[in-house]
Amino acid sequence: MTKEIQVGLIGFGTVGSGTAQVLYEQADRITKRTGASIVLKKVADICTESLPSHFTDTQLTKDAADIINDPEIDIIIELIGGTTIAKKFILDAIAKGKHVVTANKALLSTHGMEIFSAAAKNNVEIGFEASVGGGIPLIKSLKEGLVANKILTIMGIMNGTGNYILTQMTDHGTPFDEVLKDAQEKGYAEADPTYDVEGIDTAHKLVILMTMAYGMDVRLEDVRCEGITRIEPIDIEFAKEFGYRIKLLAISRNHGEHVEARVHPTLVPEKHMLANINGAYNGFYFTGDMVDNVLLYGQGAGMMPTGSAVAADVVDIARNIMHNSINRVPSLSYLPDQIQPRRITPMENIRCPYYFRFSTLDKPGVLSKISGILSKYDISIESVIQKSRKMKGSVPIVMHTYEAQEDAVEKALEEINALETTTAETVKIRVLVDDEE
Amino acid sequence: MTKEIQVGLIGFGTVGSGTAQVLYEQADRITKRTGASIVLKKVADICTESLPSHFTDTQLTKDAADIINDPEIDIIIELIGGTTIAKKFILDAIAKGKHVVTANKALLSTHGMEIFSAAAKNNVEIGFEASVGGGIPLIKSLKEGLVANKILTIMGIMNGTGNYILTQMTDHGTPFDEVLKDAQEKGYAEADPTYDVEGIDTAHKLVILMTMAYGMDVRLEDVRCEGITRIEPIDIEFAKEFGYRIKLLAISRNHGEHVEARVHPTLVPEKHMLANINGAYNGFYFTGDMVDNVLLYGQGAGMMPTGSAVAADVVDIARNIMHNSINRVPSLSYLPDQIQPRRITPMENIRCPYYFRFSTLDKPGVLSKISGILSKYDISIESVIQKSRKMKGSVPIVMHTYEAQEDAVEKALEEINALETTTAETVKIRVLVDDEE
């Protein structure tokens, strides 16, 4: 009676073995919820010599083609990552009429359109819940739960490593380099942390979310990206005095004709939900025109949470196979012919309040000179902190401004940085306005 | 080319008119995402004399039977509420082979099994995303996104009115009665606030979530329910000193053989996400064995957010009509024959830390007597606050205990309340242990 759905898994690393384990442990539960039995028929991995002994019915191969060419296999799970071989395997699988489930955000955010149109042409599905936010069911929420909403804003803490580092800096006042080293020793951060700390991983995820939320053809190079490597404990401390936490946020606002797409450190009001997401947790904050603000929060990575998302996609596709309802929900949430390019808001047109930390000589008239320049560019100051605490022979002047425009800010800072009394480049961090009240 | 799905709406109150508005405003978007056109053919309401003029293709009737008996209508939206006529309309609609979408938590938590089994028998679907958490897509997340998880814990702030009142009390130190009166004047609380402030509305929602999360036949009377009417600003203040916020939580822990089901005011550690959910917002916190902790947060009520959830259910069913895949996902997330009764953990077996506020005469030896009784019942004290601030001729002694068992606590408090030095009944509030770190 129970229908069998055969699955093949390519890549048996952390997420791959987690996924296999989820499918194994939850097999009975999945059958009780679907009437189907998900059978992991084959695993392909070049480095694995044997599978854990409880996978009695699963064959191990070194050749992904053994899976891609197996006519019994309906769904292929790609978990090797990267944008070269993974892409080839996925396109081969699609060409063979297989459905694909993947966690590969780097691939989808750079070659997504090619993959999704190949899938549409071959009438197969691409499941990618695991590519953003680990096990948090946010792709499904955007595609289905919020189907009757124009998404006005996407914001989020989308990288656990970056958030862990900022949380440690905030809680203990430890400098970035020290926290990073410690995180690397503990295995929380990669040996090459560039993707995490420079915001690139976050940008990958933002591209995927924007594509779906807006029905838009977005490219990675559309996202303006600044990392957290230049954040100092002193900025975190001043931010606290103003009532803010510093978080690495992805932000996209939908202005209709054009949309914002940016990743950068941000001062978040301490009462805002995003300010309270700590450690390796992720939070995705959507504003819909009907539903208002929604936050989805959880482990944004990890073996079992990500495996949970992969398994959910496999079950979703299995249901469609059983009911003969493939592409019941379009992979990108809008029908393929509705996906349109849209203009990206130029960064110089962004408007928000700003945090500035000026490093200046401790001389009379400096504050007046700085405020004069700001005022010339229509930048109004909401509050100032000036302390005579010396840093490297200079004093910090810290300001929180009212909303200003990025290009005016750039020009003002250029003038201020050129002043004789300025001893180091001004630190500039954008500020989030609280919309929850 | 575009398939038309005809819908009828019974009840044109706040949520009903919000739903009609969502379907109207999002019609084009829904078509771009589904290829279907959702047509609101008829609205039934006994008090409405005319529909807003932009609903040019919608007929208004006073008789719900005009909708239930219309052979062209596939989906009936029930938004009149209550457990009598609404039940009849829903069962009539099911008998006519119509799919039903409802926000009626009171009905589903008391007569849910009857309705769901009638639906299963007639092979129609019941959508109820709007019955819990307004527009937050949490039912879909539990049924599909977390499909490969044993749900270990359900916790949540599920009532916006109650949370608004507690937030006001916390922020301004205002007593309960005063905040309630103000909330009633502003329209945030009903004239009869019993359901909201006594936790009954929260219990309704917990029943629905437990049913789905565990595949379990739960009844409203299974939930032990305590409200917030006896919380005083002084308790909120002492809780703050211990590092906690007081929230009205629904809590269910899955112990396998038996499950907890309770609603009561709770001290929540101030760093926990649930402690930071303020005002009328709701938060639903699930722990799955694979995915770990997930929080879903948003507006738990309101015309447009709830309309957003109703519309999402309508779209979901419309997709199934188009693809001939009705009951692709079982309404209660487990197949009907998998829904089982399960034992409820007796309240006396609950274990957690406790907050006590004793009201005693300001005499020597009182603290020692109280701690002696607690110790006799194996209740260990983690910290004590004793201040000589007089309240109604007596002094408060406030304690935060380590984990203790409810029946031991009951017995200890009975003895302490009977002491000659005790001047008022002891206030007891359960404490949540932080599992996020």
Side-chain angles (χ1 to χ4, degrees):
Chain A
M1 267 287 296
T2 306
K3 162 111 181 157
E4 277 198 1
I5 307 284
Q6 312 260 2
V7 173
L9 167 61
I10 305 177
F12 203 70
T14 306
V15 176
S17 51
T19 296
Q21 193 58 25
V22 172
L23 290 175
Y24 175 81
E25 283 185 37
Q26 305 287 326
D28 186 46
R29 183 177 318 280
I30 290 170
T31 303
K32 285 181 177 167
R33 299 177 95 159
T34 61
S37 169
I38 310 289
V39 178
L40 182 57
K41 189 181 178 195
K42 289 180 184 168
V43 170
D45 193 277
I46 44 169
C47 306
T48 302
E49 292 306 325
S50 69
L51 296 175
S53 61
H54 54 276
F55 292 105
T56 45
D57 299 327
T58 305
Q59 301 158 42
L60 178 66
T61 168
K62 296 217 180 288
D63 188 359
D66 286 348
I67 292 178
I68 294 168
N69 296 320
D70 186 329
E72 282 189 344
I73 289 178
D74 287 315
I75 304 170
I76 290 183
I77 304 169
E78 179 277 308
L79 294 173
I80 55 172
T83 56
T84 53
I85 315 170
K87 184 182 170 195
K88 182 187 170 333
F89 288 162
I90 287 177
L91 290 174
D92 287 353
I94 291 170
K96 291 272 175 189
K98 314 285 188 202
H99 308 287
V100 174
V101 175
T102 178
N104 196 331
K105 52 199 172 270
L107 179 61
L108 293 183
S109 60
T110 49
H111 301 279
M113 283 305 149
E114 186 182 344
I115 290 166
F116 286 110
S117 56
K121 215 172 292 168
N122 287 272
N123 199 32
V124 297
E125 296 200 8
I126 309 287
F128 53 101
E129 182 70 79
S131 67
V132 186
I136 309 166
L138 65 103
I139 305 267
K140 183 169 271 290
S141 293
L142 268 179
K143 282 164 72 168
E144 303 182 45
L146 306 182
V147 67
N149 281 268
K150 175 181 176 182
I151 301 298
L152 304 174
T153 309
I154 302 169
M155 291 198 300
I157 295 170
M158 306 189 182
N159 180 276
T161 306
N163 200 49
Y164 171 83
I165 292 173
L166 285 176
T167 304
Q168 291 291 315
M169 290 175 72
T170 304
D171 291 352
H172 309 292
T174 323
F176 175 82
D177 290 334
E178 229 171 275
V179 179
L180 174 61
K181 212 181 131 211
D182 184 58
Q184 284 170 323
E185 279 167 10
K186 287 183 177 147
Y188 297 164
E190 311 266 347
D192 177 0
T194 312
Y195 270 35
D196 293 325
V197 301
E198 295 295 359
I200 301 164
D201 174 77
T202 300
H204 286 155
K205 292 165 180 168
L206 182 60
V207 165
I208 294 172
L209 296 182
M210 288 174 67
T211 307
M212 268 191 319
Y214 306 145
M216 172 182 173
D217 181 0
V218 196
R219 306 299 161 107
L220 188 57
E221 53 271 26
D222 290 336
V223 182
R224 169 75 164 261
C225 199
E226 290 169 28
I228 58 171
T229 55
R230 284 168 41 187
I231 300 292
E232 295 185 32
I234 189 178
D235 295 310
I236 292 176
E237 227 176 278
F238 281 125
K240 270 190 205 167
E241 285 191 45
F242 287 128
Y244 291 82
R245 298 284 174 273
I246 297 182
K247 294 290 183 187
L248 178 63
L249 290 195
I251 300 177
S252 173
R253 295 189 197 276
N254 181 358
H255 300 288
E257 296 270 291
H258 56 98
V259 297
E260 297 177 22
R262 48 193 169 107
V263 172
H264 51 70
T266 311
L267 264 71
V268 182
E270 63 192 3
K271 286 211 144 190
H272 195 285
M273 289 299 281
L274 288 172
N276 292 291
I277 292 173
N278 293 315
Y281 277 94
N282 281 199
F284 297 83
Y285 195 91
F286 304 115
T287 306
D289 60 346
M290 299 292 124
V291 77
D292 205 63
N293 302 321
V294 169
L295 172 81
L296 294 98
Y297 161 94
Q299 301 279 4
M303 178 171 172
M304 304 314 275
T306 310
S308 163
V310 172
D313 273 348
V314 169
V315 169
D316 224 20
I317 295 173
R319 294 194 206 263
N320 284 345
I321 293 172
M322 292 171 70
H323 289 275
N324 202 12
S325 56
I326 290 302
N327 282 320
R328 177 184 166 277
V329 178
S331 292
L332 288 176
S333 99
Y334 284 81
L335 295 168
D337 59 359
Q338 297 295 335
I339 310 281
Q340 305 286 345
R342 225 158 352 141
R343 209 154 54 77
I344 300 289
T345 316
M347 199 64 196
E348 56 266 30
N349 293 357
I350 299 290
R351 289 186 65 83
C352 64
Y354 287 80
Y355 163 98
F356 299 135
R357 175 164 57 81
F358 305 104
S359 302
T360 70
L361 296 177
D362 197 1
K363 280 189 175 170
V366 171
L367 180 58
S368 135
K369 209 174 241 167
I370 289 175
S371 3
I373 295 172
L374 292 175
S375 143
K376 192 172 83 181
Y377 287 102
D378 253 347
I379 302 164
S380 308
I381 301 162
E382 196 195 298
S383 46
V384 184
I385 303 172
Q386 185 174 19
K387 288 184 177 165
S388 54
R389 160 170 46 167
K390 286 227 169 107
M391 280 177 72
K392 300 171 195 156
S394 67
V395 291
I397 297 175
V398 180
M399 283 184 191
H400 177 204
T401 75
Y402 287 103
E403 205 174 88
Q405 190 152 317
E406 182 89 8
D407 55 357
V409 165
E410 284 301 319
K411 284 177 200 150
L413 294 192
E414 203 173 306
E415 279 193 34
I416 291 166
N417 286 337
L419 290 176
E420 269 181 26
T421 48
T422 300
T423 57
E425 202 185 333
T426 301
V427 172
K428 170 195 86 182
I429 310 178
R430 298 177 193 89
V431 177
L432 181 71
V433 178
D434 201 345
D435 60 342
E436 279 186 326
E437 315 247 324
Chain B
M1 266 286 297
T2 305
K3 163 113 183 156
E4 277 198 1
I5 306 284
Q6 312 260 2
V7 173
L9 166 61
I10 306 177
F12 203 71
T14 306
V15 176
S17 51
T19 296
Q21 193 59 26
V22 172
L23 290 174
Y24 175 81
E25 285 186 36
Q26 306 287 325
D28 186 45
R29 183 176 317 282
I30 290 170
T31 303
K32 285 180 177 170
R33 299 178 94 158
T34 60
S37 170
I38 309 289
V39 178
L40 182 58
K41 188 181 179 194
K42 288 181 184 169
V43 169
D45 193 277
I46 43 170
C47 306
T48 302
E49 292 307 325
S50 69
L51 296 175
S53 60
H54 55 276
F55 292 105
T56 45
D57 299 329
T58 305
Q59 301 159 42
L60 178 66
T61 168
K62 296 215 180 289
D63 188 359
D66 286 346
I67 292 180
I68 295 168
N69 296 321
D70 186 329
E72 282 189 345
I73 289 179
D74 287 315
I75 305 171
I76 291 184
I77 304 169
E78 178 278 307
L79 295 172
I80 55 173
T83 56
T84 52
I85 315 170
K87 183 182 170 195
K88 182 189 171 328
F89 288 162
I90 288 178
L91 289 174
D92 286 353
I94 291 171
K96 291 273 176 188
K98 313 285 189 202
H99 308 287
V100 174
V101 175
T102 177
N104 196 330
K105 52 200 172 268
L107 178 61
L108 292 183
S109 60
T110 49
H111 300 278
M113 284 304 149
E114 185 182 346
I115 290 166
F116 286 110
S117 56
K121 214 172 291 164
N122 287 272
N123 199 32
V124 297
E125 296 200 9
I126 308 288
F128 53 102
E129 182 69 79
S131 67
V132 185
I136 309 167
L138 65 103
I139 305 267
K140 182 169 273 289
S141 293
L142 268 180
K143 282 164 71 168
E144 303 183 45
L146 306 182
V147 67
N149 281 268
K150 176 180 176 183
I151 300 299
L152 304 173
T153 309
I154 302 168
M155 293 199 298
I157 295 170
M158 306 190 181
N159 181 276
T161 306
N163 200 49
Y164 172 83
I165 291 173
L166 285 177
T167 303
Q168 291 291 315
M169 290 174 72
T170 304
D171 291 352
H172 309 291
T174 323
F176 174 83
D177 291 334
E178 231 171 274
V179 179
L180 174 61
K181 212 180 133 213
D182 183 59
Q184 284 170 323
E185 279 165 9
K186 288 184 176 145
Y188 298 162
E190 311 266 348
D192 177 0
T194 312
Y195 270 34
D196 293 325
V197 301
E198 295 295 0
I200 300 164
D201 175 75
T202 301
H204 286 155
K205 291 165 180 168
L206 182 60
V207 165
I208 294 172
L209 296 183
M210 288 175 67
T211 308
M212 266 191 320
Y214 306 145
M216 173 182 173
D217 181 359
V218 196
R219 307 298 162 107
L220 187 58
E221 52 272 25
D222 291 336
V223 182
R224 169 74 163 263
C225 199
E226 290 169 29
I228 58 170
T229 55
R230 283 168 41 187
I231 300 292
E232 295 186 30
I234 188 177
D235 296 310
I236 291 175
E237 227 175 278
F238 282 125
K240 271 189 205 166
E241 287 192 44
F242 287 128
Y244 291 83
R245 298 285 173 274
I246 297 182
K247 294 289 181 186
L248 178 62
L249 291 196
I251 300 176
S252 172
R253 293 189 198 276
N254 181 358
H255 300 288
E257 294 271 291
H258 56 97
V259 297
E260 296 178 23
R262 48 193 169 106
V263 173
H264 52 70
T266 311
L267 265 70
V268 182
E270 63 192 1
K271 286 211 140 189
H272 196 284
M273 290 298 283
L274 288 172
N276 292 290
I277 292 172
N278 294 314
Y281 277 94
N282 280 199
F284 297 84
Y285 195 90
F286 304 115
T287 307
D289 60 346
M290 300 292 123
V291 77
D292 204 62
N293 302 320
V294 168
L295 171 82
L296 293 99
Y297 161 94
Q299 301 280 4
M303 178 172 172
M304 304 313 274
T306 310
S308 164
V310 172
D313 274 348
V314 169
V315 169
D316 224 20
I317 294 172
R319 293 194 205 262
N320 285 344
I321 293 171
M322 291 172 69
H323 290 275
N324 202 11
S325 57
I326 290 302
N327 282 320
R328 178 183 165 278
V329 178
S331 292
L332 288 176
S333 99
Y334 284 82
L335 294 167
D337 58 0
Q338 297 295 336
I339 310 281
Q340 305 286 346
R342 230 168 335 152
R343 208 156 54 78
I344 300 290
T345 316
M347 198 65 194
E348 56 267 30
N349 294 357
I350 299 289
R351 290 186 64 82
C352 64
Y354 286 80
Y355 162 98
F356 299 135
R357 175 164 56 82
F358 305 104
S359 302
T360 69
L361 296 177
D362 197 1
K363 279 191 177 171
V366 170
L367 179 58
S368 134
K369 209 173 242 169
I370 289 175
S371 4
I373 294 172
L374 292 175
S375 144
K376 193 172 82 181
Y377 288 101
D378 253 346
I379 301 164
S380 308
I381 300 162
E382 196 195 297
S383 47
V384 184
I385 303 172
Q386 186 174 17
K387 290 182 176 167
S388 54
R389 159 171 48 168
K390 286 227 170 108
M391 281 178 71
K392 300 170 196 156
S394 67
V395 291
I397 298 176
V398 180
M399 283 183 192
H400 177 204
T401 76
Y402 287 103
E403 204 174 89
Q405 189 151 318
E406 182 88 9
D407 55 357
V409 165
E410 283 302 318
K411 283 178 200 149
L413 294 191
E414 203 173 306
E415 279 192 34
I416 292 167
N417 286 337
L419 291 176
E420 270 182 23
T421 48
T422 299
T423 56
E425 203 186 333
T426 302
V427 172
K428 170 195 86 182
I429 310 178
R430 298 177 194 90
V431 177
L432 182 70
V433 177
D434 200 343
D435 60 343
E436 279 187 326
E437 315 248 324

